[in-house]
Amino acid sequence: MTRITEAEQRGLMTAAVREVRAANPLAPSITNTVTQNFVANAQLAVGGSAAMVYLPDEGECVAALGGAVYINLGTLLPVYEETVPRTARACAEAAKPWVLDPVGVGIGSLRTKLIRAVKAWPAAIVRGNASEIIAVAELWGLDAAADNGRGPRGVDATDSVEAARAAAVAIARFSGGAVAVSGPTDLVTDGAVVVRAEGGSPLMRSVTGSGCSLGGVAAVYACVADPLTAALAATVAYNRAGAQAAERCSGPGSFQVAFLDALAALTPEEVADAPLAFEEA
């Protein structure tokens, strides 16, 4: 595999942000009920189009219609036992990328069952906090599971981003896609390169759905770009918009509004010029 240069990667990010604004790609979501509104609004803010579904045949339908699909396991319904695997399989059969956010993995048996099931049709991008990424690697039986993270605490991480590095690289190499680990310093990898991104705001932790909506935006960019470029563009856009929103808001409520405004106003150049640290995996 020939690695592209950092300058080339930044050029791909610029092109992805610009193409999404021009093409308005559809990235449907099967996402948790707590954050549907925020996910959809964030997707619209970056220039994408949103649709929320939850039934199995709907998932199969949007896999064919959309450019990419976002699946978030935050608030599961019994029907998701069919919806999630059928949608993942439909994406694979249609050669469409999909994004997995394994929210709350480790809570209850259904999430565990679903994570294990979709290993057969792995996501192009897996996005989660450090503990969730470590848990996915363990459930998929990847070698990085030997790192033994402490595991999720509900939807919160109990492990550092650095502790999830090996798990993220292992998942990306297995899937042939990318993994984005969210934290104080975000980590994004395609299994060959590891990129660290600074930015954002502590206020993002005070707004429900910040991470979930990031997955939805990654799916929008996955409609037009390779997994690493899509995951990086989404992560950087969130960091930039979060930092800008924090300067304009007076608290968590106004932060969410300011964040969506900042996300909508971001230019391709602002995304591509963000401070990033590249290293070999």
Side-chain angles (χ1 to χ4, degrees):
M1 179 179 180
T2 303
R3 289 301 315 154
I4 66 174
T5 67
E6 178 179 338
E8 289 171 332
Q9 183 61 69
R10 290 179 183 275
L12 291 175
M13 292 164 63
T14 301
V17 175
R18 185 173 290 122
E19 186 172 350
V20 162
R21 296 285 188 199
N24 185 224
L26 173 64
S29 299
I30 299 165
T31 190
N32 77 71
T33 55
V34 176
T35 65
Q36 284 179 343
N37 180 266
F38 195 7
V39 171
N41 283 338
Q43 290 180 312
L44 297 176
V46 298
S49 181
M52 304 293 159
V53 301
Y54 74 97
L55 295 175
D57 60 338
E58 292 177 336
E60 291 171 332
C61 180
V62 297
L65 292 175
V69 176
Y70 175 45
I71 299 179
N72 177 300
L73 303 183
T75 52
L76 294 178
L77 300 171
V79 71
Y80 282 23
E81 188 168 0
E82 281 191 65
T83 301
V84 171
R86 283 173 57 175
T87 304
R89 182 175 59 232
C91 286
E93 291 172 350
K96 299 288 183 66
W98 67 282
V99 177
L100 171 66
D101 192 330
V103 177
V105 60
I107 300 176
S109 61
L110 182 54
R111 284 181 178 82
T112 298
K113 182 175 181 179
L114 291 175
I115 294 294
R116 286 178 172 153
V118 299
K119 181 184 178 183
W121 314 281
I125 300 171
V126 180
R127 191 228 69 88
N129 64 40
S131 298
E132 291 163 347
I133 297 303
I134 292 169
V136 171
E138 291 175 346
L139 289 173
W140 284 0
L142 304 180
D143 290 342
D147 284 4
N148 291 325
R150 287 174 289 176
R153 185 195 69 192
V155 298
D156 298 324
T158 57
D159 299 284
S160 69
V161 170
E162 190 58 33
R165 184 187 191 279
V169 169
I171 293 169
R173 289 175 176 171
F174 169 76
S175 68
V179 176
V181 189
S182 297
T185 297
D186 301 310
L187 183 152
V188 182
T189 182
D190 63 354
V193 65
V194 170
V195 186
R196 289 182 172 82
E198 303 274 355
S201 165
L203 281 169
M204 298 175 90
R205 296 194 297 269
S206 300
V207 177
T208 297
S210 294
C212 296
S213 56
L214 172 56
V217 168
V220 170
Y221 288 128
C223 293
V224 303
D226 66 90
L228 179 63
T229 299
L232 276 173
T235 298
V236 168
Y238 262 58
N239 286 344
R240 289 284 204 186
Q244 292 173 12
E247 296 176 354
R248 303 168 188 165
C249 74
S250 57
S254 56
F255 174 82
Q256 184 176 28
V257 174
F259 174 78
L260 289 172
D261 287 344
L263 202 59
L266 277 177
T267 67
E269 291 73 24
E270 283 181 294
V271 173
D273 291 345
L276 298 172
F278 289 74
E279 64 186 49
E280 292 296 316

